[in-house]
Amino acid sequence: MRKIMKIKYSLLALFAALVFVSCEKDSIQTADTNQVVVESYLKAGDTISLGLTRQFVIDSEDSIYEPVNNVEITLTCENISRKMSFNGKGKYSSSLVVEAGKTYSISFTYNGKLVTAETTVPTSPEGFAASVNSLVGMVRDEDADTTLYATYTWDNPDEMYHYMTVECVESTLFPINTSYKVTTVRRFNPIKTTTYTLSDQSFTYYGKHRIVLYKIPDEFAKLYKHYSTNSESLTSPPTNVTNGLGIFTSYSPDTLYLQVTK
């Protein structure tokens, strides 16, 4: 049964960390202590939160980030503007509830420069469906010829990027293969097609799994692709922030569940 997530998923923490790691690498070559780093992910149905930090270089091999406080940030949607609240330690918020399909922008002045960014919030994924509700997970030899599959499909008339995560949500974990430890969450690269096919070998634990499909705008997809292809390089991270670094983006999820059985 389809359910929309009611909490911010761990995806936000993942990409927040990636933004700063990537910026750290970039700072080695192109450090600018006057650069402000924006971090914000808008989800339809939620209020808005935003983080500001300042890139600060220690030496040629490292950098840290300090919170940027007491900045007057203007949030605009459909020609209606309001000020965001400062909550301390570089954190800002607005009680405005995000609506799918609308474009949101921010603007503020930092060190004499006008910093701006905008994102259009995607609608929820359309027609998200699964071929099966359960799958048998088992340990077998590499030359075994029997493979079971769960296929996930959706509609994508606008050719938007979609991104999937698979997470075991059991409070007690029972690994399928006890010879090694793995994370409870798997993430798959953004695609513009309309299907993901997962084999029984895609799952490492028995029990209930949450399958989340995210519809994301281009700036979000570019950010992900940068980390997957340049994780050890010093290339500049993509940003949609004018006169700054970081990301001001959005996403919409839909959720299905799959039971992995013995």
Side-chain angles (χ1 to χ4, degrees), residues 42-43 45-50 73 75 82-87 92-99 104:
L42 277 57
K43 178 190 169 203
D46 279 4
T47 55
I48 298 172
S49 60
L50 180 146
I73 302 175
L75 173 69
R82 64 194 71 198
K83 303 300 181 183
M84 297 191 69
S85 301
F86 173 58
N87 304 317
Y92 299 79
S93 65
S94 171
S95 59
L96 180 68
V97 176
V98 176
E99 295 184 46
Y104 294 81

PDB file of all heavy atoms in Angstrom, residues 42-43 45-50 73 75 82-87 92-99 104:
ATOM      1  N   LEU A  42      13.728  21.418   0.190  1.00  0.00           N
ATOM      2  CA  LEU A  42      12.309  21.683   0.390  1.00  0.00           C
ATOM      3  C   LEU A  42      11.495  20.449   0.008  1.00  0.00           C
ATOM      4  O   LEU A  42      11.729  19.842  -1.036  1.00  0.00           O
ATOM      5  CB  LEU A  42      11.861  22.863  -0.467  1.00  0.00           C
ATOM      6  CG  LEU A  42      12.102  24.282   0.072  1.00  0.00           C
ATOM      7  CD1 LEU A  42      13.570  24.520   0.382  1.00  0.00           C
ATOM      8  CD2 LEU A  42      11.601  25.325  -0.921  1.00  0.00           C
ATOM      9  N   LYS A  43      10.543  20.106   0.865  1.00  0.00           N
ATOM     10  CA  LYS A  43       9.655  18.979   0.604  1.00  0.00           C
ATOM     11  C   LYS A  43       8.210  19.447   0.705  1.00  0.00           C
ATOM     12  O   LYS A  43       7.830  20.126   1.669  1.00  0.00           O
ATOM     13  CB  LYS A  43       9.888  17.859   1.602  1.00  0.00           C
ATOM     14  CG  LYS A  43       8.956  16.673   1.412  1.00  0.00           C
ATOM     15  CD  LYS A  43       9.061  15.711   2.571  1.00  0.00           C
ATOM     16  CE  LYS A  43       7.954  14.680   2.501  1.00  0.00           C
ATOM     17  NZ  LYS A  43       7.659  14.069   3.795  1.00  0.00           N
ATOM     18  N   GLY A  45       4.563  19.900   1.610  1.00  0.00           N
ATOM     19  CA  GLY A  45       3.856  19.553   2.833  1.00  0.00           C
ATOM     20  C   GLY A  45       4.613  19.872   4.097  1.00  0.00           C
ATOM     21  O   GLY A  45       4.048  19.810   5.190  1.00  0.00           O
ATOM     22  N   ASP A  46       5.891  20.206   3.980  1.00  0.00           N
ATOM     23  CA  ASP A  46       6.717  20.550   5.137  1.00  0.00           C
ATOM     24  C   ASP A  46       6.965  22.052   5.191  1.00  0.00           C
ATOM     25  O   ASP A  46       6.824  22.756   4.182  1.00  0.00           O
ATOM     26  CB  ASP A  46       8.067  19.837   5.076  1.00  0.00           C
ATOM     27  CG  ASP A  46       7.994  18.407   5.566  1.00  0.00           C
ATOM     28  OD1 ASP A  46       6.883  17.949   5.883  1.00  0.00           O
ATOM     29  OD2 ASP A  46       9.050  17.747   5.620  1.00  0.00           O
ATOM     30  N   THR A  47       7.368  22.536   6.352  1.00  0.00           N
ATOM     31  CA  THR A  47       7.848  23.905   6.456  1.00  0.00           C
ATOM     32  C   THR A  47       9.294  23.953   5.973  1.00  0.00           C
ATOM     33  O   THR A  47       9.873  22.918   5.615  1.00  0.00           O
ATOM     34  CB  THR A  47       7.743  24.407   7.903  1.00  0.00           C
ATOM     35  OG1 THR A  47       8.440  23.499   8.764  1.00  0.00           O
ATOM     36  CG2 THR A  47       6.281  24.485   8.340  1.00  0.00           C
ATOM     37  N   ILE A  48       9.871  25.130   5.974  1.00  0.00           N
ATOM     38  CA  ILE A  48      11.185  25.328   5.333  1.00  0.00           C
ATOM     39  C   ILE A  48      12.272  25.551   6.375  1.00  0.00           C
ATOM     40  O   ILE A  48      12.107  26.331   7.313  1.00  0.00           O
ATOM     41  CB  ILE A  48      11.124  26.529   4.373  1.00  0.00           C
ATOM     42  CG1 ILE A  48      10.109  26.245   3.259  1.00  0.00           C
ATOM     43  CG2 ILE A  48      12.502  26.825   3.774  1.00  0.00           C
ATOM     44  CD1 ILE A  48       9.834  27.431   2.367  1.00  0.00           C
ATOM     45  N   SER A  49      13.384  24.855   6.204  1.00  0.00           N
ATOM     46  CA  SER A  49      14.570  25.093   7.029  1.00  0.00           C
ATOM     47  C   SER A  49      15.761  25.314   6.107  1.00  0.00           C
ATOM     48  O   SER A  49      15.803  24.808   4.973  1.00  0.00           O
ATOM     49  CB  SER A  49      14.832  23.904   7.965  1.00  0.00           C
ATOM     50  OG  SER A  49      15.038  22.724   7.228  1.00  0.00           O
ATOM     51  N   LEU A  50      16.726  26.060   6.613  1.00  0.00           N
ATOM     52  CA  LEU A  50      17.880  26.433   5.798  1.00  0.00           C
ATOM     53  C   LEU A  50      19.081  26.634   6.704  1.00  0.00           C
ATOM     54  O   LEU A  50      18.943  27.132   7.823  1.00  0.00           O
ATOM     55  CB  LEU A  50      17.561  27.713   5.012  1.00  0.00           C
ATOM     56  CG  LEU A  50      18.624  28.292   4.080  1.00  0.00           C
ATOM     57  CD1 LEU A  50      17.953  28.939   2.864  1.00  0.00           C
ATOM     58  CD2 LEU A  50      19.495  29.329   4.789  1.00  0.00           C
ATOM     59  N   ILE A  73      17.206  36.919   5.509  1.00  0.00           N
ATOM     60  CA  ILE A  73      16.932  36.127   4.306  1.00  0.00           C
ATOM     61  C   ILE A  73      15.485  36.347   3.877  1.00  0.00           C
ATOM     62  O   ILE A  73      14.558  36.190   4.676  1.00  0.00           O
ATOM     63  CB  ILE A  73      17.169  34.626   4.562  1.00  0.00           C
ATOM     64  CG1 ILE A  73      18.613  34.381   5.028  1.00  0.00           C
ATOM     65  CG2 ILE A  73      16.874  33.813   3.300  1.00  0.00           C
ATOM     66  CD1 ILE A  73      18.890  32.941   5.411  1.00  0.00           C
ATOM     67  N   LEU A  75      12.449  35.045   1.627  1.00  0.00           N
ATOM     68  CA  LEU A  75      11.909  33.879   0.933  1.00  0.00           C
ATOM     69  C   LEU A  75      10.727  34.341   0.084  1.00  0.00           C
ATOM     70  O   LEU A  75       9.828  35.011   0.577  1.00  0.00           O
ATOM     71  CB  LEU A  75      11.448  32.835   1.951  1.00  0.00           C
ATOM     72  CG  LEU A  75      10.712  31.609   1.415  1.00  0.00           C
ATOM     73  CD1 LEU A  75      11.666  30.715   0.628  1.00  0.00           C
ATOM     74  CD2 LEU A  75      10.088  30.826   2.563  1.00  0.00           C
ATOM     75  N   ARG A  82       8.558  36.971   2.320  1.00  0.00           N
ATOM     76  CA  ARG A  82       8.542  37.044   3.777  1.00  0.00           C
ATOM     77  C   ARG A  82       9.958  36.786   4.284  1.00  0.00           C
ATOM     78  O   ARG A  82      10.789  36.201   3.576  1.00  0.00           O
ATOM     79  CB  ARG A  82       7.570  36.030   4.360  1.00  0.00           C
ATOM     80  CG  ARG A  82       7.926  34.575   4.095  1.00  0.00           C
ATOM     81  CD  ARG A  82       6.761  33.684   4.398  1.00  0.00           C
ATOM     82  NE  ARG A  82       5.709  33.857   3.404  1.00  0.00           N
ATOM     83  CZ  ARG A  82       4.449  33.481   3.600  1.00  0.00           C
ATOM     84  NH1 ARG A  82       4.087  32.935   4.742  1.00  0.00           N
ATOM     85  NH2 ARG A  82       3.543  33.661   2.668  1.00  0.00           N
ATOM     86  N   LYS A  83      10.225  37.252   5.496  1.00  0.00           N
ATOM     87  CA  LYS A  83      11.541  37.065   6.092  1.00  0.00           C
ATOM     88  C   LYS A  83      11.594  35.725   6.815  1.00  0.00           C
ATOM     89  O   LYS A  83      10.647  35.324   7.487  1.00  0.00           O
ATOM     90  CB  LYS A  83      11.855  38.203   7.070  1.00  0.00           C
ATOM     91  CG  LYS A  83      11.800  39.599   6.453  1.00  0.00           C
ATOM     92  CD  LYS A  83      12.809  39.746   5.321  1.00  0.00           C
ATOM     93  CE  LYS A  83      12.755  41.159   4.729  1.00  0.00           C
ATOM     94  NZ  LYS A  83      13.680  41.313   3.572  1.00  0.00           N
ATOM     95  N   MET A  84      12.734  35.050   6.701  1.00  0.00           N
ATOM     96  CA  MET A  84      12.929  33.806   7.425  1.00  0.00           C
ATOM     97  C   MET A  84      13.393  34.112   8.847  1.00  0.00           C
ATOM     98  O   MET A  84      14.048  35.137   9.101  1.00  0.00           O
ATOM     99  CB  MET A  84      13.947  32.917   6.714  1.00  0.00           C
ATOM    100  CG  MET A  84      13.513  32.474   5.330  1.00  0.00           C
ATOM    101  SD  MET A  84      14.565  31.177   4.597  1.00  0.00           S
ATOM    102  CE  MET A  84      14.154  29.762   5.643  1.00  0.00           C
ATOM    103  N   SER A  85      13.047  33.246   9.779  1.00  0.00           N
ATOM    104  CA  SER A  85      13.424  33.429  11.188  1.00  0.00           C
ATOM    105  C   SER A  85      14.813  32.850  11.432  1.00  0.00           C
ATOM    106  O   SER A  85      15.159  31.789  10.908  1.00  0.00           O
ATOM    107  CB  SER A  85      12.414  32.734  12.101  1.00  0.00           C
ATOM    108  OG  SER A  85      11.118  33.255  11.905  1.00  0.00           O
ATOM    109  N   PHE A  86      15.602  33.547  12.249  1.00  0.00           N
ATOM    110  CA  PHE A  86      16.918  33.052  12.650  1.00  0.00           C
ATOM    111  C   PHE A  86      16.761  32.256  13.937  1.00  0.00           C
ATOM    112  O   PHE A  86      16.212  32.741  14.921  1.00  0.00           O
ATOM    113  CB  PHE A  86      17.888  34.218  12.850  1.00  0.00           C
ATOM    114  CG  PHE A  86      19.211  33.801  13.426  1.00  0.00           C
ATOM    115  CD1 PHE A  86      20.000  32.866  12.779  1.00  0.00           C
ATOM    116  CD2 PHE A  86      19.670  34.348  14.628  1.00  0.00           C
ATOM    117  CE1 PHE A  86      21.226  32.479  13.314  1.00  0.00           C
ATOM    118  CE2 PHE A  86      20.874  33.972  15.158  1.00  0.00           C
ATOM    119  CZ  PHE A  86      21.663  33.029  14.497  1.00  0.00           C
ATOM    120  N   ASN A  87      17.272  31.015  13.933  1.00  0.00           N
ATOM    121  CA  ASN A  87      17.112  30.116  15.080  1.00  0.00           C
ATOM    122  C   ASN A  87      18.406  29.813  15.813  1.00  0.00           C
ATOM    123  O   ASN A  87      18.429  28.954  16.693  1.00  0.00           O
ATOM    124  CB  ASN A  87      16.488  28.792  14.609  1.00  0.00           C
ATOM    125  CG  ASN A  87      15.174  29.016  13.903  1.00  0.00           C
ATOM    126  OD1 ASN A  87      14.343  29.800  14.342  1.00  0.00           O
ATOM    127  ND2 ASN A  87      14.977  28.342  12.777  1.00  0.00           N
ATOM    128  N   TYR A  92      18.037  28.742   9.919  1.00  0.00           N
ATOM    129  CA  TYR A  92      16.935  29.648   9.625  1.00  0.00           C
ATOM    130  C   TYR A  92      15.705  28.816   9.251  1.00  0.00           C
ATOM    131  O   TYR A  92      15.826  27.664   8.806  1.00  0.00           O
ATOM    132  CB  TYR A  92      17.298  30.580   8.464  1.00  0.00           C
ATOM    133  CG  TYR A  92      18.494  31.454   8.750  1.00  0.00           C
ATOM    134  CD1 TYR A  92      19.797  30.946   8.642  1.00  0.00           C
ATOM    135  CD2 TYR A  92      18.341  32.774   9.150  1.00  0.00           C
ATOM    136  CE1 TYR A  92      20.903  31.736   8.921  1.00  0.00           C
ATOM    137  CE2 TYR A  92      19.451  33.577   9.426  1.00  0.00           C
ATOM    138  CZ  TYR A  92      20.720  33.043   9.312  1.00  0.00           C
ATOM    139  OH  TYR A  92      21.812  33.826   9.592  1.00  0.00           O
ATOM    140  N   SER A  93      14.517  29.391   9.432  1.00  0.00           N
ATOM    141  CA  SER A  93      13.301  28.643   9.128  1.00  0.00           C
ATOM    142  C   SER A  93      12.174  29.578   8.727  1.00  0.00           C
ATOM    143  O   SER A  93      12.222  30.791   8.952  1.00  0.00           O
ATOM    144  CB  SER A  93      12.869  27.800  10.332  1.00  0.00           C
ATOM    145  OG  SER A  93      12.500  28.641  11.417  1.00  0.00           O
ATOM    146  N   SER A  94      11.144  28.974   8.131  1.00  0.00           N
ATOM    147  CA  SER A  94       9.907  29.684   7.804  1.00  0.00           C
ATOM    148  C   SER A  94       8.749  28.737   8.055  1.00  0.00           C
ATOM    149  O   SER A  94       8.837  27.536   7.773  1.00  0.00           O
ATOM    150  CB  SER A  94       9.904  30.132   6.337  1.00  0.00           C
ATOM    151  OG  SER A  94       8.627  30.633   5.979  1.00  0.00           O
ATOM    152  N   SER A  95       7.645  29.265   8.577  1.00  0.00           N
ATOM    153  CA  SER A  95       6.459  28.456   8.827  1.00  0.00           C
ATOM    154  C   SER A  95       5.645  28.228   7.556  1.00  0.00           C
ATOM    155  O   SER A  95       4.643  27.506   7.571  1.00  0.00           O
ATOM    156  CB  SER A  95       5.576  29.115   9.888  1.00  0.00           C
ATOM    157  OG  SER A  95       5.172  30.418   9.456  1.00  0.00           O
ATOM    158  N   LEU A  96       6.077  28.822   6.458  1.00  0.00           N
ATOM    159  CA  LEU A  96       5.395  28.627   5.181  1.00  0.00           C
ATOM    160  C   LEU A  96       5.439  27.148   4.787  1.00  0.00           C
ATOM    161  O   LEU A  96       6.504  26.523   4.816  1.00  0.00           O
ATOM    162  CB  LEU A  96       6.067  29.462   4.090  1.00  0.00           C
ATOM    163  CG  LEU A  96       5.467  29.366   2.682  1.00  0.00           C
ATOM    164  CD1 LEU A  96       4.094  30.006   2.655  1.00  0.00           C
ATOM    165  CD2 LEU A  96       6.391  30.033   1.666  1.00  0.00           C
ATOM    166  N   VAL A  97       4.283  26.587   4.451  1.00  0.00           N
ATOM    167  CA  VAL A  97       4.212  25.180   4.040  1.00  0.00           C
ATOM    168  C   VAL A  97       4.479  25.083   2.537  1.00  0.00           C
ATOM    169  O   VAL A  97       3.851  25.759   1.722  1.00  0.00           O
ATOM    170  CB  VAL A  97       2.842  24.575   4.381  1.00  0.00           C
ATOM    171  CG1 VAL A  97       2.740  23.142   3.869  1.00  0.00           C
ATOM    172  CG2 VAL A  97       2.614  24.618   5.893  1.00  0.00           C
ATOM    173  N   VAL A  98       5.438  24.240   2.170  1.00  0.00           N
ATOM    174  CA  VAL A  98       5.849  24.088   0.783  1.00  0.00           C
ATOM    175  C   VAL A  98       4.749  23.392  -0.023  1.00  0.00           C
ATOM    176  O   VAL A  98       4.158  22.405   0.419  1.00  0.00           O
ATOM    177  CB  VAL A  98       7.150  23.267   0.707  1.00  0.00           C
ATOM    178  CG1 VAL A  98       7.555  23.012  -0.745  1.00  0.00           C
ATOM    179  CG2 VAL A  98       8.264  23.981   1.467  1.00  0.00           C
ATOM    180  N   GLU A  99       4.502  23.899  -1.220  1.00  0.00           N
ATOM    181  CA  GLU A  99       3.504  23.312  -2.110  1.00  0.00           C
ATOM    182  C   GLU A  99       4.164  22.805  -3.382  1.00  0.00           C
ATOM    183  O   GLU A  99       5.010  23.484  -3.983  1.00  0.00           O
ATOM    184  CB  GLU A  99       2.433  24.350  -2.470  1.00  0.00           C
ATOM    185  CG  GLU A  99       1.597  24.818  -1.283  1.00  0.00           C
ATOM    186  CD  GLU A  99       0.496  25.770  -1.708  1.00  0.00           C
ATOM    187  OE1 GLU A  99      -0.196  25.478  -2.708  1.00  0.00           O
ATOM    188  OE2 GLU A  99       0.346  26.822  -1.047  1.00  0.00           O
ATOM    189  N   TYR A 104      10.188  28.445  -5.427  1.00  0.00           N
ATOM    190  CA  TYR A 104      10.600  29.191  -4.240  1.00  0.00           C
ATOM    191  C   TYR A 104      12.001  29.740  -4.474  1.00  0.00           C
ATOM    192  O   TYR A 104      12.852  29.069  -5.070  1.00  0.00           O
ATOM    193  CB  TYR A 104      10.602  28.283  -3.011  1.00  0.00           C
ATOM    194  CG  TYR A 104       9.216  27.800  -2.634  1.00  0.00           C
ATOM    195  CD1 TYR A 104       8.634  26.726  -3.307  1.00  0.00           C
ATOM    196  CD2 TYR A 104       8.479  28.425  -1.633  1.00  0.00           C
ATOM    197  CE1 TYR A 104       7.357  26.291  -2.987  1.00  0.00           C
ATOM    198  CE2 TYR A 104       7.199  27.990  -1.309  1.00  0.00           C
ATOM    199  CZ  TYR A 104       6.647  26.920  -1.986  1.00  0.00           C
ATOM    200  OH  TYR A 104       5.380  26.496  -1.673  1.00  0.00           O
TER     201      TYR A 104
END
